[in-house]
Amino acid sequence: MQAAPRTRILILGGGFAGVSAAMRLRALLRRDPAVEIHLVSNENYFVFQPLLPEVVACRIEPTHIVNPIRQLCRGVVVTNAEVQRIDLAARTVELVGADARRVQTLGYDQLVIALGLTMDLSRIPGMREHSLPIKNLGDAFHLRNHVLQRLEEADVEPDERQRRRLLTFVAVGGGFSGVETGAELNDMVKGVLRFFPRAAATGHRLILVHSQPRILNELRPELADFARRKLEQRGVEVLVETRVRECTAGGVILGDGREIEAATVVCTVGNSPHPVITGSALPQERGRVLVDECMRVQGLSGVWAVGDSALLPDVKRGGYCPPTAQYATRQGKRVAENIHAALRGGKARPFVFGGLGQLAIVGHQCGVAQVMGLMISGRLAWFLWRTVYFMKLPGVRAKIRVGIDWALDVFFPRDIAMLDVRRTERLGRAHYKAGEVIIRQGEIGDRFYIIESGEVEVVRTGPDGAEQRLAARKAGESFGEVALLRGMPRTATVRCLTPVDVITFSREDFRTLVGSSEVFRVVFEQQMQAMSPPAGEPQPPQISNIASP
Amino acid sequence: MQAAPRTRILILGGGFAGVSAAMRLRALLRRDPAVEIHLVSNENYFVFQPLLPEVVACRIEPTHIVNPIRQLCRGVVVTNAEVQRIDLAARTVELVGADARRVQTLGYDQLVIALGLTMDLSRIPGMREHSLPIKNLGDAFHLRNHVLQRLEEADVEPDERQRRRLLTFVAVGGGFSGVETGAELNDMVKGVLRFFPRAAATGHRLILVHSQPRILNELRPELADFARRKLEQRGVEVLVETRVRECTAGGVILGDGREIEAATVVCTVGNSPHPVITGSALPQERGRVLVDECMRVQGLSGVWAVGDSALLPDVKRGGYCPPTAQYATRQGKRVAENIHAALRGGKARPFVFGGLGQLAIVGHQCGVAQVMGLMISGRLAWFLWRTVYFMKLPGVRAKIRVGIDWALDVFFPRDIAMLDVRRTERLGRAHYKAGEVIIRQGEIGDRFYIIESGEVEVVRTGPDGAEQRLAARKAGESFGEVALLRGMPRTATVRCLTPVDVITFSREDFRTLVGSSEVFRVVFEQQMQAMSPPAGEPQPPQISNIASP
């Protein structure tokens, strides 16, 4: 993987922009063995985000709106890894694969940055801990099961107030995602409550909290107001010009101090730039990469940025292109054509797109739409919404499945199976045989270990290759903290002297503990004296990125 | 929920036996408002286990073989909770709901024990930590993603030996489950490897390890041998008369000391009795409840046992009924009829069933079958297998979905999307507002807390209702250990004096830590002195059950 024998077009990101760029490039360069199209994605599938709310609402099965990227982009080299760092000078990208043991470096001739945005819930106290985002498939899957779990609990909860809390749902954010998720959740709970007789007696509440005076403010006022009326007709309580000040285990506290006791808080606000971009030397504004109308990054030849992570001038309407799937998909296609042109000595063409319009679902069989100047609402808009997304859904299999889900949805009650995928224990555990190596010098440190039984030795291999024994550790003792605390590769190798059972913590967990518990901190600072690394040990910056993804 | 106004038939367990009993009872008693049919299940869905191997093999979507019990058994009261204890004297059952805060007691007039078996992987060192069981949907889901993850890793792994390890799969156990899962996994990896070009070059291995001289030894020798030949033709390496001595992070060590480096070990052995049964006064043998041929538990009126958790005489062929879905389903029906008869003053009838035969899949479009004396093998057996299970699959929706998956399977490559549902952080975190109660005196202790920021007070309410302040805790300190270490309800209430951020551990995790790290034990023992509970505090036995489910 290290050396690229041929021209490598490296695409970072497996979202709308990245995948459409890869597919288009594949089509344009099909007959060119001298070019490698290489896509890096932290998930091995492409998820069709616009349908996430329907997944949450149990209308579509979670697995039906995903497409394995390897199958979607045949002939494209796909690497399933997390991007760590972009080195513009060396024209390389640093990746950490799923096993997280090693940083891999990948060179590029052409680079397409399509990393999208990330979620930052840390701005509102408690939001990160207690609210459920709805950004990727895992989120939707989790939210779906979380809601069903609350219904199960409410059904056996004797205390009236607790039951009401379990049946209160808050959606934070009145944009498309917030409105659609709120509307779908509301319909869903209404629809399935009858299967929970003891909970049904209490009934549910769904509250949509929005900071602006008007929800869906990307739409025309009339349409936005229609949407709001429809939501309210269906029982959704809409609070506008209201901020969430704090989110707790018990519910949310609003800006004016009012409290809403709720066991479910869905958060659709808090989009924030990708750390790899903010951590890079790329020209940027508020974390979005500055590009010209051809999606070229100024001053960097062969570097392009598209989708939500790019700040691309909107040639047609002025300002910048909105961060929507519509735009991202087309930008991906166009950047592919521009790269193809660049390779063939052709001329890059600007991205010109006015948008086809906007659609939102505000409840079952009811939507609002603004298409080519027209305003549509009600069932027609809903139908349009489904038609458009059905057509956009990539892959025949996905189309068939979603189509069938929609058909079944008409004839059968929703699927309220609460899929228990919490198989793994919270704490990692591992068993090693005598002589086996648990951590290896030079690897990225990604775990911390406490020995349950057995004994290990800590050894370091010097530059001369000679092994030096630093320490031994027995049951009740721990190891692996140096790399985690100092943010550097493993400074030593740990080998089992006997069969060994260990408990393991992820880097993230370990740092949290040390950062918050005096007991931990004291203990580990002591231990570290015993095996502090040689001076001048490299301290790769990317480690810290890994620690807080 | 406490008092039963009408005759309550309580069914424990949502597997084949429990659900079929509930459905049959529902049909028999439809017009009788004086009888409550109440089913307790720890999952809110019924999973059709025979198809789990196909889920692992990405032929069927995980969600398609499940049926929400509430929808399957309309009119039956369903409680989604874990059974803690059966009190035969008081004729009550103790449950802990999903929220795990409170023990609920449910009385019964008729009790049907259909708890099935559990998995005990602790007998082989390292098996619990490193092998993947395939018992419920979560397992199948997890195994499927685990395998895809290994392929993704192998595709970016530069080291040849590591890559070979990532591509080596071991299935432990040569029974139906082991053979079918092994065969399906082998076909699947073979089928999708082409999407992982760098891994494909290395190729994969699948090794089936079985302790007996012959796999599938429930079948006739000729048929079992045929199955083995077929497996081997498809590249599965079958090791018979071989035990796994140890399982490590690196692979498995066999009885004769040989080692197999493998990143995936599937375990289909280790069935063990249900703790609630072994912990009860029920007459039993090796953890299975002794019943007469009418499924009555001797000496206990109105108590019945069916399915895998019952030791039921096989009237037709002598010995005891085998623990299979075929038998469980019919036992459920018959026990329903016997209970109905008992309520109506009728006579109980014995369970008489000879079994219809046995089917196993040994690879795509190849199976072995033993049906009513006939032996069938190859494609016909495979077709028979699918037909039988398709017909047995409960619910029209499930039938449609599985049917479509099978149809798609013919025309499309398998769905290799690796569903990332690991949304939650390993460590729990929580934010509370000033004045909020974090733990409440008298509740079951299910979590341990470390304070990240803020301050709390620990208070106890005496019998007179007066509050006594025991202690205050600030950032870096912890609380909640007493209930967890002493296995008793919360002995005090913890209230926030300021907004508070905490890190939380589950009971399981906390006990593991304290059980293994001296540092922890010392610290907590000290803390506990400060707030040891009043003498004569009840020590409910069920807590320990919760701790080790």
Side-chain angles (χ1 to χ4, degrees):
Chain A
M1 276 200 49
Q2 300 306 328
R6 29 184 200 172
T7 306
R8 176 180 287 150
I9 303 171
L10 185 56
I11 302 165
L12 306 182
F16 279 97
V19 167
S20 70
M23 289 171 81
R24 188 88 183 98
L25 275 166
R26 176 73 191 126
L28 292 167
L29 296 164
R30 176 156 281 127
R31 268 175 257 67
D32 189 341
V35 180
E36 169 186 303
I37 307 163
H38 197 129
L39 186 144
V40 177
S41 168
N42 59 351
E43 279 160 346
N44 92 332
Y45 56 85
F46 165 78
V47 54
F48 193 72
Q49 276 170 334
L51 292 181
L52 283 179
E54 296 219 356
V55 169
V56 174
C58 306
R59 283 191 203 287
I60 300 179
E61 291 302 322
T63 51
H64 293 179
I65 61 166
V66 303
N67 259 291
I69 292 175
R70 291 175 187 280
Q71 291 171 355
L72 210 53
C73 309
R74 310 247 176 139
V76 171
V77 182
V78 178
T79 294
N80 177 220
E82 194 79 42
V83 178
Q84 286 299 311
R85 201 165 72 92
I86 302 174
D87 187 334
L88 296 163
R91 299 183 74 81
T92 59
V93 171
E94 285 169 1
L95 314 172
V96 167
D99 61 350
R101 282 190 294 113
R102 185 180 329 98
V103 173
Q104 290 173 334
T105 307
L106 213 53
Y108 63 80
D109 301 288
Q110 300 283 330
L111 179 69
V112 180
I113 299 161
L115 291 163
L117 298 169
T118 58
M119 266 262 181
D120 175 16
L121 301 180
S122 64
R123 287 176 227 152
I124 303 171
M127 201 51 112
R128 186 166 44 96
E129 294 83 350
H130 300 293
S131 81
L132 301 157
I134 167 89
K135 191 134 185 70
N136 59 40
L137 190 72
D139 296 336
F141 197 92
H142 185 75
L143 176 56
R144 172 186 189 274
N145 293 335
H146 173 92
V147 170
L148 293 169
Q149 178 79 59
R150 298 291 87 70
L151 297 179
E152 292 288 352
E153 283 173 26
D155 202 47
V156 296
E157 174 60 60
D159 176 53
E160 173 67 20
R161 181 177 174 182
Q162 273 303 320
R163 198 159 58 245
R164 222 179 282 111
R165 186 178 145 270
L166 290 166
L167 292 168
T168 303
F169 306 85
V170 175
V172 182
F176 283 102
S177 171
V179 167
E180 293 191 340
T181 308
E184 287 285 2
L185 261 184
N186 184 55
D187 276 2
M188 162 185 162
V189 175
K190 218 189 293 174
V192 303
L193 258 183
R194 66 195 157 103
F195 295 112
F196 303 83
R198 287 161 291 188
T202 302
H204 81 291
R205 283 179 74 192
L206 192 136
I207 300 139
L208 181 69
V209 183
H210 186 48
S211 57
Q212 316 278 322
R214 181 175 267 121
I215 61 168
L216 297 172
N217 41 18
E218 300 88 341
L219 294 179
R220 295 222 200 118
E222 316 85 287
L223 211 53
D225 293 339
F226 172 84
R228 176 175 177 170
R229 278 200 308 283
K230 281 295 169 191
L231 284 171
E232 286 171 341
Q233 279 170 21
R234 290 159 179 275
V236 175
E237 303 169 41
V238 182
L239 304 179
V240 291
E241 294 184 276
T242 310
R243 298 193 166 280
V244 171
R245 193 179 68 197
E246 198 176 344
C247 184
T248 78
V252 295
I253 301 168
L254 303 177
D256 57 15
R258 263 182 307 165
E259 289 185 31
I260 302 173
E261 292 196 340
T264 308
V265 179
V266 184
C267 181
T268 61
V269 297
N271 276 335
S272 76
H274 197 290
V276 168
I277 293 173
T278 48
S280 75
L282 289 159
Q284 53 190 279
E285 193 177 307
R286 282 176 288 98
R288 292 177 71 186
V289 182
L290 291 165
V291 293
D292 64 16
E293 69 287 349
C294 296
M295 291 162 289
R296 287 176 291 224
V297 179
Q298 290 98 319
L300 295 166
S301 81
V303 181
W304 317 72
V306 288
D308 299 1
S309 49
L311 203 57
L312 170 62
D314 188 331
V315 177
K316 203 144 179 185
R317 343 160 110 200
Y320 294 106
C321 294
T324 68
Q326 267 181 48
Y327 279 79
T329 311
R330 287 167 178 77
Q331 286 165 18
K333 285 207 183 72
R334 174 50 53 92
V335 85
E337 287 150 11
N338 286 350
I339 289 171
H340 181 246
L343 295 178
R344 300 276 178 269
K347 216 176 144 306
R349 291 157 58 213
F351 176 75
V352 183
F353 178 60
L356 297 176
Q358 288 168 310
L359 290 157
I361 290 293
V362 294
H364 187 48
Q365 307 209 341
C366 180
V368 296
Q370 192 166 301
V371 185
M372 301 168 236
L374 284 171
M375 292 201 310
I376 310 166
S377 61
R379 180 164 298 195
L380 177 59
W382 169 80
F383 186 77
L384 189 64
W385 187 93
R386 280 203 164 177
T387 315
V388 168
Y389 285 130
F390 185 77
M391 280 158 46
K392 292 283 171 206
L393 194 61
V396 182
R397 177 171 52 190
K399 275 196 170 64
I400 294 174
R401 285 180 168 165
V402 168
I404 285 157
D405 281 338
W406 279 342
L408 292 175
D409 188 35
V410 179
F411 302 108
F412 296 95
R414 298 170 206 245
D415 178 354
I416 57 169
M418 190 169 63
L419 300 176
D420 182 1
V421 289
R422 302 153 302 165
R423 230 203 93 270
T424 48
E425 286 173 341
R426 278 196 169 289
L427 280 183
R429 275 141 156 265
H431 173 82
Y432 295 87
K433 66 173 191 286
E436 203 163 359
V437 167
I438 300 179
I439 63 181
R440 186 169 273 107
Q441 189 171 340
E443 285 181 353
I444 295 175
D446 67 332
R447 302 197 78 67
F448 164 73
Y449 301 80
I450 295 176
I451 305 173
E452 263 188 286
S453 69
E455 193 175 355
V456 302
E457 62 174 351
V458 184
V459 299
R460 177 177 301 129
T461 312
D464 55 353
E467 244 188 29
Q468 172 203 1
R469 180 167 178 165
L470 301 178
R473 297 243 185 280
K474 59 178 195 327
E477 300 182 319
S478 54
F479 59 88
E481 65 280 0
V482 179
L484 300 193
L485 292 175
R486 301 256 167 99
M488 52 172 58
R490 294 296 188 190
T491 56
T493 293
V494 175
R495 196 186 298 119
C496 302
L497 296 169
T498 67
V500 169
D501 288 296
V502 293
I503 302 166
T504 73
F505 287 82
S506 69
R507 173 189 296 99
E508 191 45 15
D509 292 352
F510 176 71
R511 289 198 170 183
T512 314
L513 284 173
V514 174
S516 56
S517 167
E518 283 158 11
V519 186
F520 275 86
R521 199 181 305 102
V522 174
V523 178
F524 300 132
E525 288 304 336
Q526 287 168 359
Q527 280 199 14
M528 281 174 65
Q529 307 317 321
M531 33 186 298
S532 40
E537 189 80 43
Q539 305 225 7
Q542 68 269 24
I543 302 282
S544 44
N545 298 0
I546 305 176
S548 48
Chain B
M1 281 197 49
Q2 299 308 327
R6 32 186 195 167
T7 307
R8 176 179 288 147
I9 303 170
L10 185 56
I11 300 165
L12 306 182
F16 279 98
V19 167
S20 71
M23 290 171 82
R24 187 87 183 100
L25 275 166
R26 175 75 189 124
L28 292 166
L29 296 163
R30 175 155 282 131
R31 269 175 255 67
D32 189 342
V35 181
E36 170 186 304
I37 307 164
H38 197 127
L39 186 143
V40 176
S41 168
N42 59 352
E43 279 160 345
N44 92 333
Y45 56 85
F46 165 78
V47 55
F48 193 72
Q49 276 168 331
L51 292 181
L52 284 180
E54 296 219 358
V55 169
V56 175
C58 305
R59 284 192 202 285
I60 301 178
E61 291 302 320
T63 51
H64 293 177
I65 62 167
V66 303
N67 259 289
I69 292 174
R70 291 176 187 281
Q71 291 171 353
L72 209 53
C73 310
R74 309 248 176 138
V76 171
V77 183
V78 178
T79 294
N80 177 219
E82 193 79 43
V83 178
Q84 285 300 311
R85 201 165 71 90
I86 302 173
D87 186 333
L88 297 162
R91 297 184 76 80
T92 59
V93 171
E94 285 171 0
L95 314 172
V96 167
D99 61 349
R101 290 183 157 286
R102 184 181 330 97
V103 174
Q104 291 172 334
T105 308
L106 213 52
Y108 63 80
D109 300 289
Q110 299 283 330
L111 179 68
V112 180
I113 299 162
L115 290 164
L117 299 169
T118 58
M119 266 263 180
D120 176 14
L121 301 180
S122 63
R123 288 176 225 151
I124 301 171
M127 202 52 114
R128 186 168 44 99
E129 295 82 351
H130 300 291
S131 81
L132 301 156
I134 167 90
K135 190 135 185 72
N136 60 41
L137 190 71
D139 296 335
F141 198 90
H142 185 74
L143 177 55
R144 173 185 188 276
N145 293 335
H146 174 89
V147 170
L148 294 169
Q149 179 78 61
R150 297 294 84 74
L151 296 179
E152 292 289 352
E153 284 173 26
D155 201 47
V156 297
E157 175 61 59
D159 176 55
E160 172 67 20
R161 180 177 174 182
Q162 274 302 319
R163 199 159 59 243
R164 225 180 284 112
R165 186 179 144 269
L166 290 166
L167 292 168
T168 303
F169 305 85
V170 176
V172 182
F176 283 102
S177 171
V179 167
E180 292 191 336
T181 309
E184 287 286 1
L185 262 184
N186 184 56
D187 276 3
M188 164 186 161
V189 174
K190 218 189 292 176
V192 302
L193 257 183
R194 65 195 158 103
F195 295 111
F196 303 84
R198 287 160 292 188
T202 302
H204 81 290
R205 284 178 74 191
L206 192 136
I207 300 141
L208 181 69
V209 183
H210 187 47
S211 56
Q212 316 278 322
R214 182 175 267 120
I215 61 168
L216 297 173
N217 41 17
E218 300 86 342
L219 295 179
R220 293 218 201 122
E222 316 85 284
L223 212 52
D225 293 339
F226 172 84
R228 177 175 175 168
R229 275 199 308 281
K230 281 293 167 192
L231 285 172
E232 287 172 338
Q233 279 169 22
R234 289 160 179 275
V236 175
E237 303 169 39
V238 181
L239 302 179
V240 291
E241 292 183 276
T242 309
R243 298 192 165 281
V244 170
R245 193 179 68 196
E246 198 174 346
C247 183
T248 77
V252 295
I253 302 168
L254 303 177
D256 57 15
R258 263 182 306 165
E259 288 186 32
I260 303 173
E261 292 196 341
T264 308
V265 179
V266 184
C267 182
T268 62
V269 298
N271 276 334
S272 76
H274 197 291
V276 168
I277 292 174
T278 48
S280 76
L282 289 159
Q284 53 191 279
E285 194 179 307
R286 282 176 288 99
R288 295 176 70 186
V289 182
L290 290 165
V291 293
D292 64 16
E293 69 287 348
C294 296
M295 289 162 289
R296 287 176 293 222
V297 179
Q298 288 99 319
L300 296 166
S301 81
V303 180
W304 317 72
V306 287
D308 299 2
S309 50
L311 202 58
L312 170 61
D314 188 331
V315 177
K316 204 143 179 187
R317 344 160 110 200
Y320 293 106
C321 294
T324 69
Q326 268 182 47
Y327 279 80
T329 310
R330 288 168 177 76
Q331 287 165 16
K333 287 208 182 74
R334 173 51 53 93
V335 86
E337 287 150 10
N338 285 350
I339 289 171
H340 181 247
L343 296 177
R344 300 278 178 267
K347 216 174 140 310
R349 291 157 58 212
F351 175 75
V352 184
F353 177 59
L356 297 177
Q358 289 169 310
L359 289 158
I361 290 293
V362 294
H364 187 48
Q365 307 211 341
C366 180
V368 296
Q370 192 167 302
V371 186
M372 302 168 227
L374 284 172
M375 292 202 308
I376 309 166
S377 61
R379 180 164 296 196
L380 176 58
W382 169 79
F383 185 76
L384 189 64
W385 187 94
R386 281 204 165 178
T387 314
V388 168
Y389 284 130
F390 186 76
M391 280 159 46
K392 293 283 171 207
L393 195 62
V396 181
R397 176 170 53 190
K399 275 196 170 63
I400 295 174
R401 286 181 169 163
V402 168
I404 285 156
D405 281 339
W406 279 341
L408 292 176
D409 188 34
V410 178
F411 302 107
F412 297 96
R414 297 169 206 243
D415 178 355
I416 58 169
M418 190 168 62
L419 301 175
D420 182 3
V421 289
R422 302 153 302 168
R423 228 203 97 272
T424 47
E425 287 174 341
R426 280 197 170 284
L427 280 182
R429 276 142 152 266
H431 173 84
Y432 294 88
K433 66 175 193 286
E436 202 163 358
V437 167
I438 300 179
I439 63 181
R440 188 169 271 107
Q441 189 172 339
E443 285 180 351
I444 292 177
D446 66 335
R447 301 198 79 69
F448 166 73
Y449 301 80
I450 295 174
I451 305 173
E452 263 188 287
S453 70
E455 192 174 3
V456 302
E457 63 174 352
V458 184
V459 299
R460 179 177 298 131
T461 312
D464 56 352
E467 242 187 32
Q468 172 203 359
R469 180 167 178 165
L470 301 179
R473 298 241 185 280
K474 59 179 190 332
E477 300 182 320
S478 54
F479 60 87
E481 66 280 1
V482 179
L484 300 194
L485 292 176
R486 300 258 167 99
M488 51 173 56
R490 293 296 189 190
T491 56
T493 293
V494 175
R495 196 186 296 117
C496 302
L497 297 169
T498 66
V500 169
D501 288 297
V502 293
I503 301 167
T504 73
F505 285 81
S506 70
R507 176 190 296 101
E508 244 322 80
D509 292 352
F510 177 69
R511 291 196 172 185
T512 315
L513 280 176
V514 174
S516 56
S517 166
E518 286 156 8
V519 186
F520 282 95
R521 200 179 305 105
V522 174
V523 177
F524 298 132
E525 286 304 335
Q526 286 167 358
Q527 277 200 18
M528 283 172 64
Q529 305 318 320
M531 31 185 304
S532 40
E537 187 83 41
Q539 306 228 5
Q542 67 270 20
I543 302 281
S544 43
N545 297 1
I546 304 175
S548 48

